[in-house]
Amino acid sequence: MTASRLTGCEIVIAGAGPVGLVTALLLAEGGADVIVLEATGPAVQPEWRGSTLHPPTLEILAEIELADAAVRGGIAVEHLVYGDLEINRLISFDYALLEELTAFPIRVQYEQYKLLQLLRERAVAHPSIDVRWHREVIRCTNATDYVEVVVGDDRERLRAKLLVAADGSHSAVRRSLNIDMPGTTYPTLSLVAATDFDVTVGRCAGPVAYMSGPLGRASFIRTPDVWRIAVTTEIPAGDAPQLVASLETTLDTTLDVHPNLATALDLYTGGSDWADVGFRQYQMYRSHQRVADRFADGRVVLVGDAAHLASTTGGMGLNSGVHDAYDLVTRLATAPSLEQATAEYADVRRAMSLDVVQRATSAARAEGDERRIDERQARLNRLAVLAADAAAAREYLVGAAMLSAVPIRPGRYRART
Ligand SMILES: Cc1cc2nc3c(=O)[nH]c(=O)nc-3n(C[C@H](O)[C@H](O)[C@H](O)COP(=O)(O)OP(=O)(O)OC[C@H]3O[C@@H](n4cnc5c(N)ncnc54)[C@H](O)[C@@H]3O)c2cc1C
């Protein structure tokens, strides 16, 4: 990235999560000096969060030379598959249709914690990035020429030209600026379980299959180490914490496997052999559809989960945060002023969140959770019509692969080398 405007510019980033660190690395490669403040320590917990990397995200990771590691270490998915647990029909979209549009006509399943580990190693080693662990950003105050960042117990204060809030869904920076994040929280919890059992025994659906069914959606995703199965539950989200159960061990026979998970596995695999293998992890989580009222305020910008939250269906949350990072850094490097860069970033990325990502994830969630069999059949029929026509299938994949959600992309017109 050519980034003469960034040279020597000191930028503070709150949060050494994946989005904060992609921002830091892109900025540093462009010549900026960056300080990253992270509330926790350097150790990466192997928690189950995102695992999907869409083509534009791989293009961006290629800019910081991490795409190859993700592709090599991950599962390359060449077909996006939809089906139903009670209807014997699979609809498949071929990523090869995207060959002329992206250097990466695939989707890669690579666990977020492994990507985070790579990003942390790369950021810590970079001469222009100063990662400071155990520094919790408490609040910030905008001044005309700088933003003041207050850390920890108020004893440490930093002044920066720009503060990038990459401090996640509960962003202290966002709250300190009184920026609302309106939207909805889904009324029931979702469940994700990880198993060593090969769920493809009953079907030949490949590494990613989004299934509808009598109890709502069930997704079957192969990651390098395990299969991840996500289902809807009827457990109210209201008073449950984000994560209500986690098992590090194989199936404990005293654990009641949620009936929706058991039904999905029975129907998908055509039996109950999976129960003998059990689960490595078992987590419940809330899902939201929320977008911050504004993505910029003076010398502060919001990126990633600090700015927007979307249902995990379709795997767009982490990806759209990485897209924020690229958009912001490109504008900082090329716009005539910092004010113009942040204003444009805020407008474009908020519109993308609302008009593309929220719309796509809400629709995917609603369609996946449809329980009436005639509606499920009708949806498969609609998808089959699209998949049978190359132009329509390409257009569908452009949306599912988030190519329409990233107006500024690296190597957009570059052929794959
Ligand atoms: C169960 C689950 C499944 C998911 N599945 C998918 C998926 O399949 N695909 C997908 O794309 N997305 C998925 N997501 C969403 C994805 O995990 C998030 O979108 C992604 O983690 C956002 O990255 P981030 O860097 O913005 O925030 P985070 O990953 O939350 O990182 C924020 C960082 O900031 C630090 N921090 C917090 N507060 C402060 C502070 N005050 N000061 C300093 N540091 C602070 C935190 O310790 C953390 O390191 C899933 C999420 C969950 C919970």
Side-chain angles (χ1 to χ4, degrees), residues 341-353:
T342 55
E344 284 177 7
Y345 161 80
D347 285 352
V348 169
R349 292 307 303 166
R350 187 163 180 276
M352 283 295 137
S353 288

Side-chain angles (χ1 to χ4, degrees), residues 173-251:
V173 174
R174 187 185 69 230
R175 279 179 285 155
S176 115
L177 294 168
N178 291 318
I179 300 177
D180 280 343
M181 205 183 199
T184 55
T185 296
Y186 285 100
T188 57
L189 295 175
S190 296
L191 184 164
V192 63
T195 179
D196 291 321
F197 184 74
D198 181 4
V199 302
T200 51
V201 287
R203 309 222 177 205
C204 298
V208 171
Y210 290 106
M211 310 297 284
S212 46
L215 300 173
R217 76 191 193 288
S219 59
F220 295 82
I221 294 183
R222 176 76 224 181
T223 64
D225 297 340
V226 288
W227 278 94
R228 290 177 74 179
I229 300 108
V231 298
T232 308
T233 76
E234 297 79 29
I235 302 169
D239 36 38
Q242 177 93 5
L243 181 68
V244 296
S246 177
L247 287 187
E248 289 292 341
T249 57
T250 50
L251 182 65

Side-chain angles (χ1 to χ4, degrees), residues 346-375:
D347 285 352
V348 169
R349 292 307 303 166
R350 187 163 180 276
M352 283 295 137
S353 288
L354 286 167
D355 301 339
V356 182
V357 178
Q358 297 278 306
R359 206 169 275 182
T361 49
S362 296
R365 173 85 186 232
E367 288 174 358
D369 279 345
E370 175 61 61
R371 295 182 173 203
R372 290 168 297 181
I373 192 153
D374 52 337
E375 293 295 329

Side-chain angles (χ1 to χ4, degrees), residues 120-134:
R120 286 195 170 178
E121 285 165 11
R122 193 63 69 85
V124 165
H126 200 293
S128 300
I129 302 176
D130 176 3
V131 184
R132 301 183 186 175
W133 306 109
H134 303 294

Side-chain angles (χ1 to χ4, degrees), residues 274-345:
W274 56 268
D276 297 332
V277 176
F279 302 104
R280 282 210 217 172
Q281 283 204 345
Y282 192 86
Q283 296 182 355
M284 299 223 181
Y285 58 96
R286 282 195 195 115
S287 293
H288 312 267
Q289 297 288 148
R290 295 184 178 275
V291 177
D293 272 344
R294 51 190 193 283
F295 282 17
D297 186 309
R299 289 175 174 270
V300 184
V301 286
L302 309 182
V303 293
D305 277 15
H308 43 72
L309 296 170
S311 161
T312 53
T313 313
M316 294 191 169
L318 166 65
N319 286 272
S320 57
V322 173
H323 306 165
D324 291 344
Y326 189 78
D327 187 283
L328 174 66
V329 177
T330 306
R331 289 179 203 281
L332 287 170
T334 54
S337 67
L338 186 135
E339 291 72 21
Q340 190 170 329
T342 55
E344 284 177 7
Y345 161 80

